[in-house]
Amino acid sequence: RRVGVLISGTGTNLQALIEQARRASSSAEIVVVISNRPGVQGLKRAALAGIQTRVVDHKLYGSRAEFDGTIDRVLEEFGVELVCLAGFMRILTGNFVKKWNGKLLNIHPSLLPSFKGVNAQKQALQAGVRVSGCTVHFVAEEVDAGAIIVQEAVPVLSSDTEDSLCDRIREAEHRAFPAAMELVASGSVKLRDDGHITWNT
Ligand code: GRF
C-alpha cells in the first residue's frame, strides 16, 4: 500500500514508520513525506531514507481549503492510498477528511477519548491519572474522535514532569503507529461505513 506521511516537526513518529516500512514483511511503502513547515528535521529524515519530500507551507495559503487542496494534489500525484499524520499540527477540513475517510490515520498522545486537543500529556498530569498513553485512530471530522485502531498505555509516575511523560508516551507512539499502519495497509483493519472498525481476522 502506497503511504504518504504528513509532518510538522522533528518526525520521530515518521522515523518509526520509515523503519517499519523497510521490513520485508511490511505491507507499506512510504512514497512521499509532506511538511507544512520548511526546514524541519522530519524532512531530513525522509531525505536520508531516500523518500521524496514536499513542503506545503500553510502560511502561503489564503484558506484551509486551498491548503488542503494542495496537500490532496500532492498525495494524488504520488498515488498515495493511505495517509499517516505523524506530528502534523494542522486541522484538516471536512472535505479533505471525507475524501480520505478510512485512509487517514492520526496519532494522539493520550488514551482517547480522554484528553483530546493540545497538551494532552499536560492534561493527564493535571488530572492526576495514574495511566496514560497514546492512540492511533482514523481521522473523523470531529477532532480526536475517529475510530480507534491501536492504543498503548504507559504508567504516570508521581515524579513525572510534562517532559518525562512526553518521552515515555512518545516511546509508546513509536510502537503503536507502525503497528496501526501495518494493520490498515495489510487490510487487516478497515473502517466500516458506520464509522466502526472491522477486523478481517
Ligand atoms: C509528539 O509529541 C506526538 O505525541 C505528537 O506530535 C509530537 C511530535 O511528534 N503526535 P514527532 O516527533 O514529530 O513525530
Side-chain angles (χ1 to χ4, degrees), residues 9-14 86-87 89 107 109 121 170 173:
T10 48
T12 63
N13 277 283
L14 166 66
M89 303 316 252
I107 187 148
Q121 302 93 333
R170 211 183 329 251
E173 289 173 26

Side-chain angles (χ1 to χ4, degrees), residues 23-35:
R23 298 160 68 108
S25 60
S26 177
S27 302
E29 178 194 4
I30 300 174
V31 295
V32 65
V33 170
I34 305 172
S35 175

Side-chain angles (χ1 to χ4, degrees), residues 78-105:
F78 283 87
V80 167
E81 301 162 298
L82 175 60
V83 183
C84 292
L85 305 182
F88 186 65
M89 303 316 252
R90 302 289 301 168
I91 302 288
L92 294 160
T93 57
N95 285 343
F96 183 95
V97 170
K98 269 200 280 278
K99 172 177 176 181
W100 292 92
N101 191 40
K103 302 171 182 172
L104 188 55
L105 275 54

Side-chain angles (χ1 to χ4, degrees), residues 108-116 120-121 124 132-135 151 169:
H108 183 78
S110 74
L111 294 176
L112 291 174
S114 297
F115 313 130
K116 297 180 180 180
Q121 302 93 333
S132 191
C134 64
T135 302
Q151 292 188 305
I169 290 175

